[in-house]
Amino acid sequence: MEKNELTKAGKNLLEDIVRNDSLEGLPKVAAYTGLAILEIAKMVVKAKKAKEQL
């Protein structure tokens, strides 16, 4: 599996977990933190690509 596909699968899983809203407390925080980390990683990759184009 490619890295992109793995990232998408992880994001979809976390979004499903958050959407179901069956989590409470620390597990809920962990799911939201995971989504935030994925978004930050996506921004870092985009920034690196933009920097390479300069």
Side-chain angles (χ1 to χ4, degrees):
M1 198 184 284
E2 284 187 35
K3 197 183 326 181
N4 238 0
E5 292 174 5
L6 186 59
T7 303
K8 286 179 185 177
K11 183 176 181 182
N12 288 341
L13 175 64
L14 286 171
E15 286 176 342
D16 286 344
I17 290 171
V18 169
R19 191 175 305 120
N20 290 337
D21 204 33
S22 60
L23 299 176
E24 292 183 11
L26 194 55
K28 188 171 189 171
V29 171
Y32 277 104
T33 302
L35 285 173
I37 290 171
L38 284 173
E39 288 300 315
I40 291 169
K42 189 168 43 172
M43 289 189 306
V44 168
V45 169
K46 284 182 181 180
K48 284 183 179 180
K49 286 181 182 178
K51 185 177 179 181
E52 288 173 359
Q53 290 180 351
L54 291 178

